[in-house]
Amino acid sequence: LELDGRDFYGRLVGDFNDWDPAATRMQKLKSGDFKVTVDLPVGREYQYRYLLDGRTWTNDEAADRYVPAGVPGADNSVVVV
């Protein structure tokens, strides 16, 4: 996830962590990008989003696909493992 060098913190939030914003904090790299590795069981699809600075939701531009989030005008990212 690239944030153009802005000083944010990021969280990975999805169905694999019960949509808990505190569960999976992403590591900020020197480049300003964020990175996190999550081990997920194979053979499933997982919905997720990024939560930036505790208030802004965004999707993964490299997601396998997108599905409606249940909130008007919002989608969740999907990764197929």
Side-chain angles (χ1 to χ4, degrees):
L1 176 63
E2 184 176 336
L3 296 175
D4 302 323
R6 293 176 285 174
D7 191 24
F8 284 112
Y9 68 87
R11 305 282 183 159
L12 176 61
V13 186
D15 54 10
F16 49 84
N17 62 14
D18 294 322
W19 294 96
D20 180 357
T24 310
R25 187 168 183 140
M26 296 187 289
Q27 176 186 6
K28 187 169 184 178
L29 305 175
K30 288 181 182 181
S31 66
D33 296 348
F34 285 87
K35 179 180 177 179
V36 66
T37 301
V38 178
D39 293 323
L40 300 171
V42 297
R44 286 194 52 199
E45 294 184 357
Y46 298 91
Q47 294 184 32
Y48 66 99
R49 296 191 84 191
Y50 298 122
L51 179 60
L52 306 177
D53 209 23
R55 61 180 177 254
T56 303
W57 291 95
T58 189
N59 282 322
D60 185 348
E61 294 177 3
D64 294 325
R65 63 188 181 93
Y66 305 94
V67 296
V71 177
D75 290 328
N76 290 335
S77 300
V78 175
V79 63
V80 180
V81 180

